[in-house]
């Protein structure tokens, strides 16, 4: 990991963000609440996404303290109604996080449950400490895992394991998460953040443009029109034709 580079970073309430020369380190910072995802954290993470979108770099995402994120804030969730559900508050954020231009690595220790699990699923890669536990217990609270688990988890671990988690309330400890491919590696407790940085070290040695295009294609967010347009934008033919058009218009 390189030394921090000068940057203007926003003041956030529930998340800390560090921008170095070649990456972001984003930390969910409500350790007393097991980093439960509340409305303030959703707003802070949208701010972070805007920052990363305007100045792309790989991301390491972690939780302060022992846990990654123990779920959504149940007190807030209890008061949400139909309109909030239709707005897809957490899903919209996690979809935005998943669409960040360059690779994201979740460094997971302790609980990654409910919305916390779904945020980790939205990352491209996951590293687990031996203490890590992934689960989606939402049906036990009378709701469903509606912030991405129903489509991301089957893609990550297969339909059978996803159904065990989403329907049977089965949780995946670090060893099970490794067996089913949910995590890239399991490391001793306390070493997950360093392991995530080692992955980003390898990522940053690659071509940034190649990584962006590869992520877009693999995740299905790439549009062939955009790639084709990018090729055409770099041609002299495009510049010549547009120059001729502007000169002809100016002569009128």
């Amino acid at each position: 990991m390189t030394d921090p580079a000068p940057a203007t970073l926003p003041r956030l309430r529930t998340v800390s963000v560090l921008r170095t020369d070649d990456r972001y380190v984003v930390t969910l910072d409500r350790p007393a609440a097991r980093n439960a995802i509340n409305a303030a954290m959703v707003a802070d993470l949208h701010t972070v996404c805007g920052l990363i979108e305007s100045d792309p770099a790989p991301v390491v995402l972690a939780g302060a303290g022992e846990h990654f994120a123990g779920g959504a804030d149940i007190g807030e969730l209890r008061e949400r109604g139909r309109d909030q559900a239709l707005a897809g508050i957490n899903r919209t954020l996690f979809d935005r996080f998943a669409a960040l231009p360059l690779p994201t690595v979740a460094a997971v220790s302790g609980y990654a449950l409910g919305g916390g699990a779904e945020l980790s699923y939205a990352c491209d890669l996951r590293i687990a400490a031996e203490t890590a536990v992934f689960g989606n217990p939402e049906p036990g609270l009378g709701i469903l895992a509606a912030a991405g688990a129903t489509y991301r988890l089957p893609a990550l671990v297969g339909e059978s394991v996803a159904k065990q988690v989403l329907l049977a309330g089965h949780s995946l400890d670090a060893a099970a998460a490794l067996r089913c491919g949910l995590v890239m590696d399991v490391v001793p407790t306390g070493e997950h953040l360093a392991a995530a940085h080692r992955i980003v070290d390898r990522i940053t040695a690659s071509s940034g443009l190649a990584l962006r295009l590869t992520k877009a294609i693999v995740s299905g967010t790439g549009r062939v029109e955009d790639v084709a347009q990018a090729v055409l934008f770099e041609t002299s033919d495009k510049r010549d034709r547009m120059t001729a058009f502007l000169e002809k218009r100016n002569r009128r």
Side-chain angles (χ1 to χ4, degrees):
M1 179 176 162
T2 58
D3 294 331
T8 300
L9 299 177
R11 184 179 297 275
L12 305 171
R13 293 176 289 171
T14 65
V15 175
S16 66
V17 56
L18 170 67
R19 176 67 160 100
T20 75
D21 288 335
D22 62 1
R23 72 196 67 185
Y24 290 90
V25 182
V26 180
T27 305
L28 311 179
D29 197 9
R30 297 185 70 213
R34 295 178 175 172
N35 300 317
I37 300 170
N38 62 0
M41 187 178 287
V42 168
D44 283 348
L45 286 172
H46 272 298
T47 299
V48 170
C49 285
L51 182 70
I52 298 169
E53 289 160 354
S54 65
D55 181 22
V59 177
V60 172
L61 177 66
E66 297 179 5
H67 302 285
F68 180 76
D73 188 297
I74 302 302
E76 287 188 358
L77 207 58
R78 182 184 61 181
E79 303 308 315
R80 289 184 187 175
R82 178 187 60 190
D83 291 343
Q84 288 78 25
L86 291 173
I89 295 170
N90 287 12
R91 178 192 54 76
T92 299
L93 169 65
F94 299 165
D95 284 353
R96 186 179 184 184
F97 203 91
L100 290 174
L102 286 166
T104 55
V105 181
V108 179
S109 64
Y111 292 144
L113 303 177
E118 290 178 298
L119 178 56
S120 77
Y121 304 157
C123 292
D124 297 305
L125 301 166
R126 284 152 296 280
I127 288 290
E130 292 172 333
T131 59
V133 178
F134 300 84
N136 288 98
E138 285 90 341
L141 296 170
I143 59 174
L144 60 86
T150 56
Y151 49 95
R152 288 199 179 94
L153 192 57
L156 290 169
V157 302
E159 184 177 329
S160 177
V161 174
K163 284 181 175 179
Q164 293 171 39
V165 174
L166 297 172
L167 300 180
H170 180 60
S171 60
L172 301 172
D173 62 16
L178 182 63
R179 285 195 302 271
C180 69
L182 180 60
V183 302
M184 182 175 178
D185 199 5
V186 176
V187 298
T189 301
E191 297 182 15
H192 56 295
L193 191 56
H197 279 294
R198 288 194 294 271
I199 293 172
V200 175
D201 289 341
R202 296 201 297 272
I203 288 171
T204 57
S206 297
S207 159
L209 180 58
L211 288 169
R212 291 182 71 161
L213 291 174
T214 300
K215 175 172 177 174
I217 292 167
V218 171
S219 64
T221 59
R223 293 179 58 88
V224 67
E225 299 97 322
D226 293 340
V227 176
Q229 189 76 296
V231 172
L232 292 171
F233 269 27
E234 293 298 313
T235 64
S236 58
D237 185 54
K238 167 251 186 182
R239 177 167 290 276
D240 292 344
R241 289 175 181 274
M242 291 189 176
T243 298
F245 173 84
L246 293 171
E247 290 175 347
K248 180 179 180 180
R249 187 182 67 181
N250 291 337
R251 288 196 299 267
R252 291 176 182 172

